């Protein structure tokens, strides 16, 4: 059988796509005793020709894991391919196990510029090894902060003392949303032990208000509340939107003063702010419903909010006189969608014949 196995290795470099696919399909089954495959697989992985650019990396990695722990030469190539494998797949873990700590050496030596997808993979790699092994490879002292940061984040739950490194990593964290999500997850795992990270979280709050808002609410709700209330009148519409979002989803703050301030934002010119204010007000405790219904009816008629998504709520909460007045105006509208909405309400909500 062995000569036939060697022929399969030759097929890996065939110009015939069919031959290459056959080789990649059969070698994982019969190639466990073929260490000769490693250099050829390395060449295939390194190839940038048209025939290799579309090669499926999974079968190649499967062959390598069957052969056994790869050499450092192979690990040096595989580190470039790991980002193309889903970190949620079983095969990613198998590849890491087969490569062993050797996967760390090319990573820390080459100082690659990782994109956001690869950053998640580095964190996954950090979770795969114990702290002494990671320290041995110097990942926590790496001069490239983009390499060091995901290792620090991936190990925060196991080594809270790494929190001391966060202040110097703020500018590395800020532009990477995936890193900010990982920061939030790691600090949530620490619970109250994450309190020393509050100054860093406050610096990064604007970069990731949705990712970090829940964590800030858990660790420092007063600061989050003060920031949100102060930004309801900010000239920047994105900050007004973030403020409403925090008050709505993180703080769940529905006191009368906050309700009045957000209701005033129904006049906001920015559509995202208007939509956020409307969503917040729809969940508020019922208070002065007729006045709110009139304002909602005006917004529907002005076309500033989507009539299809909001009219059902309006028709269920508005006093009958206000509802009838709005329906009549919709019937007189030149817009067919308004007329249809009014007819639907007459027929199904009020039980009347639109004719």
């Amino acid at each position: 059988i062995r000569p036939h196995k060697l022929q399969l290795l030759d097929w890996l470099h065939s110009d015939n796509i069919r031959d290459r696919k056959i080789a990649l399909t059969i070698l994982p089954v019969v190639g466990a005793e073929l260490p000769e495959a490693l250099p050829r697989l390395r060449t295939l992985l390194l190839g940038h020709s048209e025939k290799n650019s579309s090669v499926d990396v999974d079968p190649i990695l499967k062959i390598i894991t069957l052969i056994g722990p790869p050499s450092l030469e192979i690990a040096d190539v595989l580190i470039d391919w790991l980002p193309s494998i889903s970190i949620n797949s079983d095969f990613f873990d198998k590849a890491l196990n087969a490569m062993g700590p050797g996967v760390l050496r090319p990573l820390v030596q080459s100082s690659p510029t990782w994109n956001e997808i690869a950053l998640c993979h580095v964190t996954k790699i950090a979770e795969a090894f114990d702290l002494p092994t990671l320290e041995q490879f110097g990942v926590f002292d790496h001069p490239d902060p983009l390499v060091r940061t995901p290792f620090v984040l991936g190990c925060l739950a196991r080594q809270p003392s790494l929190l001391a490194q966060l202040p110097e990593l703020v500018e590395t964290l800020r532009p990477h949303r995936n890193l900010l999500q990982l920061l939030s997850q790691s600090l949530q795992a620490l619970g109250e032990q994450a309190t020393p990270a509050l100054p860093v979280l406050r610096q990064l709050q604007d970069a990731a208000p949705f990712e970090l808002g829940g964590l800030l609410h858990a660790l420092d709700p007063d600061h989050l509340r003060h920031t949100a209330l102060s930004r309801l009148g900010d000239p920047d519409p994105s900050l007004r939107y973030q403020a409403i979002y925090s008050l709505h989803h993180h703080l769940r703050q529905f006191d009368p003063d906050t309700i009045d301030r957000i209701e005033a934002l129904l006049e906001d010119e920015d559509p995202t702010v208007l939509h956020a204010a409307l969503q917040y007000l729809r969940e508020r405790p019922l208070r002065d419903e007729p006045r709110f219904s009139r304002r909602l009816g005006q917004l529907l008629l002005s076309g500033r909010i989507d009539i299809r998504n909001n009219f059902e709520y309006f028709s269920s909460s508005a006093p009958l006189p206000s509802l009838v007045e709005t329906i009549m105006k919709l019937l007189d509208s030149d817009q067919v969608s308004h007329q249809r909405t009014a007819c639907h309400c007459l027929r199904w909500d009020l039980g009347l014949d639109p004719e």
Side-chain angles (χ1 to χ4, degrees), residues 17-34:
I17 296 178
R18 177 176 169 274
D19 289 346
R20 292 200 310 276
K21 287 185 175 181
I22 290 175
L24 289 173
T25 301
I26 299 177
L27 276 173
V29 180
V30 301
E33 299 177 359
L34 281 179

Side-chain angles (χ1 to χ4, degrees), residues 131 134-135 138-156 159-174 183 187 190 193-194 196-201 203-204:
L131 291 172
L134 295 172
E135 291 171 351
V139 296
F140 301 129
D141 303 314
H142 199 282
D144 186 344
L146 205 53
V147 172
R148 177 163 39 113
T149 300
F151 279 110
V152 169
L153 297 184
C155 296
L156 277 177
Q159 188 84 353
S161 62
L162 291 172
L163 287 170
Q165 290 203 29
L166 291 184
E168 60 186 275
L169 298 176
V170 166
E171 295 310 316
T172 304
L173 286 163
R174 196 186 303 277
L183 171 66
L187 293 179
L190 281 174
Q193 287 182 286
L198 274 174
V200 170
L201 292 176
Q203 292 182 63
L204 295 170

Side-chain angles (χ1 to χ4, degrees), residues 52-109:
N52 288 332
S53 61
S54 60
V55 70
D56 185 359
V57 69
D58 281 1
I60 296 177
L61 293 178
K62 186 179 293 185
I63 297 168
I64 292 173
T65 58
L66 287 170
I67 292 173
S71 64
L72 292 178
E73 182 184 29
I74 293 293
D76 184 47
V77 180
L78 288 179
I79 194 65
D80 293 326
W81 282 92
L82 281 177
S84 68
I85 309 170
S86 169
I87 61 173
N88 296 319
S89 69
D90 293 338
F91 189 69
F92 186 88
D93 294 328
K94 292 178 181 177
L96 279 183
N97 291 334
M99 293 167 68
V103 71
L104 296 168
R105 183 172 283 107
L107 175 61
V108 298
Q109 288 179 348

